[in-house]
Amino acid sequence: MEYQFSKDFLWGAACSGPQSEGSFPGDGKAEMEWDYWFQQAPELFYDGVGPAVTSDFYHKYKEYAGLMKEIGMNSYRTSIQWSRLIKDREGTINEAGVEFYNSVIDELLSRGIEPILCLHHFDLPMYWVEKGGFENRETAEAFAAYAAKCFELFGGRVKRWLTFNEPIVITEGGYLYKNHYPAVCDAKRAALVSYHLQLASSMAVKEFRKRGGKGQIGIVLNLTPTYCKEPENAEDRRSAETADLLFNKSFLDPSLKGEYPNALVELLKKEGICPEAQAEDLEVIRANTVDFLGVNYYHPRRVTRRSSPFTGPLMPEKYFEEYTYEGQKMNFSRGWEIYEPAVYEIAIQLRDNYGNIPWYLSENGMGVQNEEQFIGVDGIVEDDYRIEFIRDHLIWLHKAIVEGCNCFGYHLWAPFDCWSWKNAYKNRYGMIRVDRKDNCRLTVKKSGRWFRVTAEQGGFS
Ligand code: BGP
């Protein structure tokens, strides 16, 4: 076989608690930021669909697990909802939440699917939002206590843990670009939130190590490899370096190396937005780097130097402009560039500059609108575009592995169609179709069939 992967390679997919379970008030779950924001401003959400039902994983997890097995998955990442497990700031446990996550873990394990659990996927409970969210250092401490509780409750059966999913998106979504709650634009608050998110992640790693248990802990970072338009131009190169510092290295370096890049600290100081870090907190960050990394990769970032001075409140775009070019390969539906070689370049970076840390591609996927138009005569979504997308990325991943990169798996976003924040059900990503008009009826798409064969063979030709 031309593209053969190792026997223990992870073939799987990822989703999250808030995007799949549904909220279902009455089961003891507390309110989290998206429940609240949807109530405040439903018009911001595509088709007016909020997080109440999503894909009904809360009730249908057994059926989902069966189908995951059927499409060949040997691993599944989801997240625990903090607001489902813990009811309030005092740390009162919601027994129904414990029971639910125990049942999900049991169900997955009984089918030979490894559960990989993330502790936070954009879903801060309102009882901490009310206290200032991650602008408040107390929230970082509370996160570490919640993490410790999860390790105690589920640690015996879960081998791989992740602290946060895409912490930079929490910062940019909530505090720069208004895509997440609290939807403000304030670079100083953004920098503080980023710092506390990193601290919270490192504190959770510390709790994990304290228990001395089995298993490993990592973090999921969405990496956007940054390419400049005119590499021969020094200013252009600088614009790409700055974007890379702000969007990639701001979490990559402290999480993997235990320290912030000097150039980032200098930049934040120059702008007057550098958070005041306590020496003991920096020591926690230094001493608690992760065991492995999850890389979410969707698209690269193309930048060039600014053509005109930046005005308005401070934003990353002060340092670069994004550009598009003719012939750029785009997802025909989602508007994101498709650039597969970036997977290889990320791998080489991690091999050469980050100690060849073990990592896996924890999200990669192709969102498509109105996917029902691709339903064939047999009632199956004929998503050949998704098969091609996965294959093309795996080819570059394979090349990287052959060249000594330490990548141990591929997870598609997502196993099944799921709710996606303000985009709700606009873009479908799954290998399993969820028909929301028909009581969330589930059908395997063509990509699911292809994935099964690929996973069984451990590769493809
Ligand atoms: C990632 C997030 C996921 C998911 C995905 C697709 O960044 O980790 O939670 O939402 O993006 O996003 P969208 O539906 O906006 O295309």
Side-chain angles (χ1 to χ4, degrees), residues 19 121 165-166 298 334 363 413 420-421 423 427 429:
Q19 293 176 270
H121 199 120
N165 176 74
E166 303 188 347
Y298 288 89
R334 175 68 176 86
E363 277 183 39
W413 182 271
S420 196
W421 323 112
N423 284 337
N427 307 306
Y429 279 89

Side-chain angles (χ1 to χ4, degrees), residues 231-338:
E232 63 289 352
N233 180 298
E235 249 189 279
D236 242 42
R237 286 201 303 276
R238 240 190 332 270
S239 66
E241 279 160 23
T242 306
D244 186 38
L245 265 184
L246 294 171
F247 291 105
N248 297 323
K249 293 195 170 130
S250 54
F251 283 98
L252 200 51
D253 281 30
S255 292
L256 273 61
K257 294 181 171 172
E259 58 187 23
Y260 284 97
N262 281 335
L264 178 65
V265 177
E266 289 312 315
L267 182 91
L268 298 185
K269 279 187 179 160
K270 192 179 101 198
E271 295 292 359
I273 61 168
C274 193
E276 269 178 45
Q278 299 172 23
E280 59 268 35
D281 288 349
L282 290 177
E283 178 53 25
V284 172
I285 292 172
R286 192 202 59 74
N288 294 286
T289 54
V290 290
D291 298 318
F292 72 99
L293 178 68
V295 174
N296 291 357
Y297 171 69
Y298 288 89
H299 57 80
R301 193 182 297 274
R302 306 263 175 204
V303 303
T304 185
R305 60 193 179 278
R306 289 206 58 84
S307 54
S308 57
F310 186 79
T311 52
L314 178 63
M315 293 287 275
E317 285 73 10
K318 177 176 172 183
Y319 292 96
F320 57 82
E321 277 174 12
E322 300 209 11
Y323 75 97
T324 53
Y325 61 91
E326 212 165 308
Q328 209 170 358
K329 183 173 166 188
M330 304 297 283
N331 171 338
F332 64 89
S333 178
R334 175 68 176 86
W336 279 347
E337 180 179 351
I338 298 179

Side-chain angles (χ1 to χ4, degrees), residues 435-452:
D435 188 348
R436 300 189 73 251
K437 291 195 191 111
D438 188 4
N439 194 27
C440 289
R441 193 167 63 86
L442 308 178
T443 41
V444 172
K445 301 180 192 175
K446 189 172 175 185
S447 57
R449 295 176 177 178
W450 175 85
F451 197 81
R452 181 199 175 113

Side-chain angles (χ1 to χ4, degrees), residues 98-170:
V98 178
E99 202 183 310
F100 171 67
Y101 290 116
N102 266 325
S103 309
V104 171
I105 294 168
D106 285 345
E107 187 64 32
L108 292 168
L109 287 173
S110 74
R111 294 182 186 270
I113 301 172
E114 177 188 337
I116 300 179
L117 292 187
C118 185
L119 295 166
H120 190 97
H121 199 120
F122 307 161
D123 57 334
L124 193 61
M126 281 312 287
Y127 51 78
W128 284 111
V129 173
E130 284 156 11
K131 286 286 190 181
F134 281 100
E135 286 179 79
N136 182 350
R137 190 183 174 285
E138 231 188 304
T139 306
E141 283 174 5
F143 177 77
Y146 149 68
K149 198 71 207 165
C150 291
F151 305 145
E152 180 193 318
L153 287 168
F154 313 114
R157 291 171 303 150
V158 176
K159 284 199 300 199
R160 283 181 258 233
W161 291 91
L162 293 153
T163 57
F164 284 89
N165 176 74
E166 303 188 347
I168 192 71
V169 173
I170 301 174

Side-chain angles (χ1 to χ4, degrees), residues 30 125 149 171 192 220 228 236 267 284 325 360 365 379 402 410 416 433 439 450 453:
K149 198 71 207 165
T171 298
L192 184 62
V220 173
C228 64
D236 242 42
L267 182 91
V284 172
Y325 61 91
Y360 78 117
V402 168
Y410 178 91
F416 46 83
R433 174 171 156 77
N439 194 27
W450 175 85
V453 174

